């Protein structure tokens, strides 16, 4: 019988616009969780949705306040996926690596706090004499305490995000390296996708391929936020494509119009602004 204490605990972190959140976003978490549990080596303990901040400057990106609210409505009935608004509250755009580091540090801090709570308190004062019938528990040979390690935070994404590593100036090479080396990727890809070829053609990704988990999506789902926004602009139904509570929120607040789609039009995306002059950007990823 498998010892659950010996399984590696995993936290799945999904970063992105969530503009708006869709049923496909939620499915990514379920597919990844099934994959890890089927290996018998991992236990997924939490899923985190981290919407990007307004400073990302993506065309058509509505306010983070609305996007975070919709994500929270979409996950309110989930017992393991939650929304974190730390990234979206930042005044400047943050690289995905910094968000991964933040959540890893939170887990480290929580682990230290829990450890301190279980440390026995030693009272100062006179030593008590050893009682004649009082014995220290005898430790069995070869018995070592089970030390729980800090859960691993892995970046959950679709194949489009993985392949975006090859877009010049969108990512820094050192960031990609740290993500795949120290954290790991969980990439949901459709059958027949060229993700494996993309990994093969990149020395960095190939070197750390064992920390890139490819999960095939056999029940294909082509829902995307872009298509949702297009349908809304055209007055078409999005029922069953997003959670009902999200659809109701969009209708109530009259979100996603031709005007909102033009937001940030002509503005250079934050990563391009930041990395354009950086020689360590991902333009050499496939070399």
């Amino acid at each position: 019988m498998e010892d659950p204490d010996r399984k590696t605990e995993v936290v799945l972190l999904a970063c992105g616009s969530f503009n708006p959140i869709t049923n496909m976003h939620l499915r990514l978490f379920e597919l990844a969780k099934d994959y890890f549990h089927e290996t018998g080596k991992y236990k997924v303990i939490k899923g985190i949705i981290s919407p990007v901040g307004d400073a990302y400057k993506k065309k058509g990106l509505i306010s983070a306040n609305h996007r975070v609210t919709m994500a929270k409505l979409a996950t309110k009935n989930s017992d393991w996926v939650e929304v974190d608004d730390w990234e979206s509250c930042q005044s400047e755009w943050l690289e995905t690596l910094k968000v991964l580091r933040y959540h890893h540090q939170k887990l480290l801090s929580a682990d230290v706090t829990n450890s301190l709570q279980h440390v026995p308190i030693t009272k100062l004062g006179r030593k008590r004499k050893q009682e004649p019938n009082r014995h220290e528990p005898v430790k069995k040979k070869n018995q070592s305490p089970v030390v729980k390690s800090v859960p691993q935070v892995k970046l959950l994404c679709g194949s489009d995000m993985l392949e975006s590593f090859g877009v010049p100036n969108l990512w820094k090479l050192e960031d990609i390296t740290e993500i795949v080396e120290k954290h790991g990727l969980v990439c949901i890809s459709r059958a027949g996708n060229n993700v494996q070829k993309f990994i093969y053609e990149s020395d960095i990704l190939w070197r750390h391929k064992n920390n890139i988990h490819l999960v095939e999506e056999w029940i294909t789902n082509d829902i995307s936020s872009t298509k949702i926004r297009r349908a809304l602009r055209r007055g078409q139904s999005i029922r069953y494509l997003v959670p009902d509570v999200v659809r109701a929120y969009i209708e109530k607040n009259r979100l996603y119009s031709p005007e909102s789609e033009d937001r940030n039009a002509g503005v250079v995306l934050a990563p391009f602004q930041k990395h354009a002059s950086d020689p360590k950007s991902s333009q050499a990823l496939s070399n």
Side-chain angles (χ1 to χ4, degrees):
M1 187 175 173
E2 289 271 0
D3 181 358
D5 290 330
R6 295 292 181 184
K7 291 183 180 179
T8 301
E9 292 186 334
V10 170
V11 172
L12 300 171
L13 172 67
C15 297
S17 299
F18 301 99
N19 188 38
I21 191 167
T22 71
N23 287 340
M24 184 59 216
H25 289 131
L26 302 174
R27 280 295 299 159
L28 294 181
F29 284 94
E30 296 296 330
L31 289 165
K33 186 179 181 182
D34 283 348
Y35 163 82
F36 277 118
H37 287 181
E38 284 168 9
T39 66
K41 300 175 183 178
Y42 300 93
K43 179 184 179 184
V44 176
I45 61 169
K46 185 191 292 186
I48 302 172
I49 291 172
S50 180
V52 74
D54 294 336
Y56 187 52
K57 299 297 182 184
K58 187 176 183 179
K59 184 179 179 294
L61 189 67
I62 67 169
S63 76
N65 180 53
H66 282 312
R67 290 182 288 109
V68 168
T69 300
M70 287 188 285
K72 286 182 177 179
L73 287 170
T75 56
K76 69 176 184 179
N77 293 325
S78 175
D79 58 357
W80 70 283
V81 180
E82 61 186 45
V83 179
D84 189 282
D85 63 0
W86 177 79
E87 180 186 1
S88 64
C89 289
Q90 305 306 306
S91 58
E92 294 183 353
W93 169 73
L94 292 178
E95 292 93 335
T96 299
L97 175 59
K98 290 181 180 177
V99 184
L100 273 165
R101 287 175 179 168
Y102 167 78
H103 286 287
H104 177 68
Q105 190 58 47
K106 268 184 76 172
L107 289 169
L108 280 175
S109 301
D111 187 62
V112 169
T113 302
N114 290 336
S115 298
L116 289 174
Q117 287 176 347
H118 292 90
V119 173
I121 299 172
T122 305
K123 292 183 179 179
L124 297 175
R126 194 171 56 187
K127 283 188 177 180
R128 187 172 62 178
K129 289 183 179 179
Q130 179 73 38
E131 294 172 13
N133 295 323
R134 191 169 179 267
H135 302 285
E136 292 298 320
V138 179
K139 289 185 180 179
K140 293 180 182 178
K141 287 183 179 180
N142 302 324
Q143 185 184 39
S144 57
V146 176
V147 180
K148 268 198 169 183
S149 59
V150 177
Q152 296 179 3
V153 182
K154 295 190 178 295
L155 184 62
L156 174 63
C157 66
S159 56
D160 54 344
M161 178 182 278
L162 178 64
E163 290 172 351
S164 77
F165 284 172
V167 177
N169 301 322
L170 189 60
W171 298 81
K172 288 192 292 188
L173 282 175
E174 59 194 43
D175 283 14
I176 294 173
T177 303
E178 186 171 332
I179 288 171
V180 294
E181 180 181 6
K182 295 187 178 179
H183 298 282
L185 273 177
V186 190
C187 178
I188 311 297
S189 65
R190 294 184 176 88
N193 197 286
N194 285 326
V195 174
Q196 288 181 322
K197 183 173 181 285
F198 184 78
I199 293 172
Y200 167 75
E201 292 175 347
S202 162
D203 287 345
I204 291 175
L205 299 182
W206 183 259
R207 192 179 307 129
H208 302 289
K209 64 182 183 296
N210 291 334
N211 210 19
I212 300 175
H213 303 268
L214 298 181
V215 183
E216 286 200 354
E217 178 199 357
W218 293 103
I219 305 175
T220 55
N221 187 335
D222 200 29
I223 301 172
S224 72
S225 296
T226 301
K227 292 178 179 178
I228 296 296
R229 295 197 306 275
R230 183 178 297 132
L232 287 166
R233 290 198 307 274
R234 297 174 180 178
Q236 297 170 345
S237 171
I238 58 168
R239 188 185 291 270
Y240 311 122
L241 300 176
V242 301
D244 283 341
V245 284
V246 171
R247 180 178 58 84
Y249 183 88
I250 290 172
E251 291 176 357
K252 179 182 177 182
N253 292 278
R254 297 180 179 178
L255 304 179
Y256 303 114
S257 62
E259 291 74 29
S260 70
E261 194 63 22
D262 284 336
R263 188 178 183 184
N264 296 323
V267 179
V268 178
L269 202 64
F272 292 139
Q273 291 183 32
K274 196 167 186 177
H275 302 154
S277 59
D278 189 345
K280 295 181 180 178
S281 65
S282 62
Q283 54 193 346
L285 179 62
S286 60
N287 291 349

